[in-house]
Amino acid sequence: MDVFLSPRMEKEALTWDKGFTLFELLFTLSILTLLITVITPSFSSFLTQSQLTSDQHKLQSLLSLARMQAVTEGNYAVVCRWDGVSSCTGFDSTNTLVWERGALVFSDKNNNRQLDPSSDTVLRIIEFSTQNQITWNRGELLVYESDGSALGGSNGTFSIIQGDQILRLVVSLTGRVRRGA
């Protein structure tokens, strides 16, 4: 079946080019470049804030678990700096240390504040974002007593740092955790 085109329509069909003009292409690229320039810094800031908040929430959840476990079982619950395998890095309760790999919580059945695989139970291990630096200003561990309070001298502040942004979790002697300024 043949389609009849008027001479005018035939001429327009032959002269119509498919594609974009150089002006249209340059205009579109300049708008796209402008959008990318505006969006990229805000997306980077959003990503940083998201990583900080994620680690803050994970850590706050872990501290709540440890406190609840200490009260429920009636013995110490220890939050310690994780060695990356299955244990704590040490049991120093002084100095400000970076918890680079993550944190481990265990139920300390014999209340010696050390992880004994034969008697203690590892409750949870969390890994931190590699982009963040997490510090605890009281060393390598935080101990919750059977009444939910932090063992004397264990109160302090966790700082979650990425670049110039810092989020804090403050642990009081009563064992309560709050977000710091």
Side-chain angles (χ1 to χ4, degrees), residues 125-170:
I125 297 172
I126 61 167
E127 291 185 59
F128 298 128
S129 167
T130 56
Q131 306 301 318
N132 295 337
Q133 180 183 32
I134 288 82
T135 62
W136 169 241
N137 66 345
R138 298 287 189 244
E140 297 181 287
L141 56 95
L142 166 65
V143 181
Y144 283 101
E145 296 187 73
S146 60
D147 63 356
S149 63
L151 189 64
S154 291
N155 66 317
T157 303
F158 281 99
S159 298
I160 302 139
I161 306 162
Q162 189 176 133
D164 61 348
Q165 295 187 22
I166 301 172
L167 296 179
R168 290 185 173 85
L169 287 175
V170 179

Side-chain angles (χ1 to χ4, degrees), residues 26-131:
L26 289 175
F27 181 75
T28 304
L29 286 175
S30 65
I31 295 296
L32 186 62
T33 303
L34 182 65
L35 286 174
I36 289 173
T37 304
V38 169
I39 291 173
T40 302
S42 61
F43 180 72
S44 175
S45 175
F46 170 75
L47 188 59
T48 299
Q49 190 62 37
S50 177
Q51 290 169 340
L52 285 168
T53 304
S54 174
D55 277 352
Q56 184 184 40
H57 286 259
K58 286 193 289 188
L59 186 56
Q60 190 169 11
S61 170
L62 190 76
L63 295 172
S64 295
L65 170 71
R67 186 173 188 227
M68 181 182 64
Q69 190 70 24
V71 171
T72 303
E73 290 197 3
N75 52 26
Y76 288 173
V78 179
V79 180
C80 65
R81 190 167 70 149
W82 181 46
D83 68 359
V85 183
S86 63
S87 190
C88 299
T89 58
F91 299 96
D92 178 26
S93 59
T94 59
N95 303 319
T96 297
L97 296 173
V98 177
W99 292 33
E100 60 274 338
R101 290 206 166 87
L104 178 145
V105 174
F106 66 92
S107 180
D108 190 11
K109 307 280 190 215
N110 56 10
N111 291 343
N112 68 353
R113 298 182 295 180
Q114 297 195 13
L115 180 59
D116 301 319
S118 60
S119 62
D120 298 334
T121 307
V122 173
L123 302 172
R124 184 168 297 152
I125 297 172
I126 61 167
E127 291 185 59
F128 298 128
S129 167
T130 56
Q131 306 301 318

